[in-house]
Amino acid sequence: MLFADSGLSDASISVLLAIWSLTSVVFEVPSGALADRFSRRGCLVASGVLQAFGYAAWVLFPSFWGFAAGFVLWGLGGTLQSGAFEALLYDGLAANGDEDLYGRLNARVDTIELIAQVPVAVIATALFSFGGYELAGWVSVAMCLASAVIALRFPEPERDDEDDDELGYLATLTTGLRASVPIKRAVLAVALVYAIDAFEEYFTLLAQDWSVPTVWVPMATIGVPLMGAAGASLAGRLPFRGWALFASGALLIVAALLAVPLAIILLGLFYGLYRFVLVHVETELQHRIESDARATVTSVASIGAEFVAFAVYALWVLGSAVAIGVMVLVVALVIRRRQ
């Protein structure tokens, strides 16, 4: 909404999101290797700081190039977190022999992340009412810096010093890339499904297009992350269902065709089913990784997702949400054939 209210067209907004994805494409795998070679916790700390700088750029320079600079900084921060967090979580469990609990814990993390959007939506509404985008932006900067401080307290399993001496950065990168080949189906599944999450960036624009006043958009869409949280939570308790992603795509298409405020309910159902599938494919990938370069392998899946995300941005410009819904159906077909 900030971009649209600053005078940017849908095409310009999609270009900005493409810049964000391009940054991830360039730095995703190298940052994963950085986490494997040095410190995953350190990467999480740096991630929060860089994302804070990104939001600051948006507040200080509210123009296309200011937004672009912010997305580059956010993209850098995102790549440092991607892979590093999953690897830190899985290896922390594995150190105690509890790696089988990863799926359930991953589902809880996703659930908490999505539920947190509810109070954030309420706060965003209040901040926008009192201080507009500027106040909301500076609070976002503060929150990112707070996340970096919290990350400093994360425990990190000790590494084998001898292995660290033998494997340099480039060797770690190569090891991670090679380890992705035997489990390419799991990597591809995560890449395709995770890429759909790029559509989340358009939820607020959808609400505006469906005649919801700007000030009420955060509250109107508050149910969407809640449905996503419900789907993620169920993924920790129920086995994978092949029809779930098909159903989510169909719901999205119907919602886009209706294009009324009540269609946000269908958007929430779409997101809940999507998150259910995402948790399952992410968990399956972590269980299949046998290499120590876990963050690098996870980043390989993430970089694949960024390539597919370009299609999401293009489809939004060319055909809006209906076209993206068709894409979800295609992804569902590919995933089901590769099971």
Side-chain angles (χ1 to χ4, degrees):
M1 293 189 297
L2 168 63
F3 306 149
D5 290 346
S6 297
L8 272 62
S9 65
D10 282 353
S12 296
I13 293 173
S14 286
V15 170
L16 287 174
L17 295 175
I19 291 173
W20 186 23
S21 288
L22 183 60
T23 303
S24 297
V25 166
V26 173
F27 295 102
E28 182 69 59
V29 175
S31 67
L34 192 68
D36 284 328
R37 177 63 182 86
F38 298 103
S39 171
R40 292 159 182 170
R41 179 176 56 201
C43 284
L44 294 180
V45 174
S47 172
V49 174
L50 285 172
Q51 290 186 53
F53 286 151
Y55 283 129
W58 289 0
V59 175
L60 295 173
F61 309 103
S63 63
F64 176 86
W65 292 111
F67 298 146
F71 266 128
V72 170
L73 291 168
W74 188 1
L76 288 171
T79 60
L80 287 171
Q81 177 182 345
S82 175
F85 177 77
E86 292 87 348
L88 187 65
L89 178 60
Y90 192 94
D91 285 348
L93 291 170
N96 295 320
D98 294 327
E99 57 267 32
D100 290 342
L101 298 177
Y102 177 82
R104 184 173 298 179
L105 188 56
N106 185 39
R108 289 179 182 176
V109 170
D110 272 19
T111 300
I112 294 172
E113 176 186 356
L114 291 164
I115 290 177
Q117 293 184 31
V118 176
V120 167
V122 176
I123 294 172
T125 301
L127 292 175
F128 184 82
S129 299
F130 288 108
Y133 291 117
E134 185 174 356
L135 179 59
W138 286 121
V139 172
S140 297
V141 170
M143 292 302 294
C144 289
L145 293 176
S147 72
V149 173
I150 293 172
L152 279 171
R153 299 184 60 82
F154 285 177
E156 184 169 10
E158 295 183 3
R159 309 283 184 86
D160 189 329
D161 293 336
E162 293 182 2
D163 290 342
D164 285 345
D165 291 338
E166 293 175 1
L167 286 180
Y169 170 78
L170 293 178
T172 302
L173 177 61
T174 303
T175 300
L177 292 173
R178 287 176 178 172
S180 302
V181 177
I183 56 172
K184 55 183 179 295
R185 290 189 176 184
V187 171
L188 178 61
V190 171
L192 290 175
V193 176
Y194 187 60
I196 299 172
D197 203 47
F199 179 52
E200 182 189 7
E201 304 302 325
Y202 295 105
F203 286 175
T204 53
L205 293 179
L206 274 178
Q208 280 187 319
D209 291 342
W210 295 349
S211 303
V212 177
T214 299
V215 69
W216 293 110
V217 166
M219 296 302 296
T221 56
I222 200 170
V224 177
L226 284 177
M227 292 300 294
S233 179
L234 287 174
R237 299 176 175 87
L238 299 177
F240 177 73
R241 307 295 185 190
W243 53 264
L245 199 56
F246 281 104
S248 69
L251 286 168
L252 177 57
I253 292 173
V254 173
L257 291 175
L258 290 175
V260 295
L262 285 177
I264 295 176
I265 297 174
L266 297 179
L267 182 66
L269 292 173
F270 148 76
Y271 199 56
L273 289 171
Y274 163 70
R275 281 287 180 166
F276 175 84
V277 176
L278 179 61
V279 169
H280 276 292
V281 295
E282 286 181 331
T283 300
E284 178 66 17
L285 174 62
Q286 293 302 320
H287 284 315
R288 287 179 175 270
I289 298 174
E290 298 180 356
S291 168
D292 290 334
R294 182 173 299 277
T296 307
V297 177
T298 305
S299 290
V300 170
S302 295
I303 196 174
E306 295 299 339
F307 278 115
V308 182
F310 284 116
V312 174
Y313 305 145
L315 288 172
W316 173 261
V317 175
L318 298 176
S320 193
V322 174
I324 295 175
V326 173
M327 174 187 168
V328 174
L329 295 178
V330 173
V331 171
L333 180 61
V334 173
I335 296 299
R336 188 161 188 175
R337 284 185 174 180
R338 289 186 173 272
Q339 284 184 324

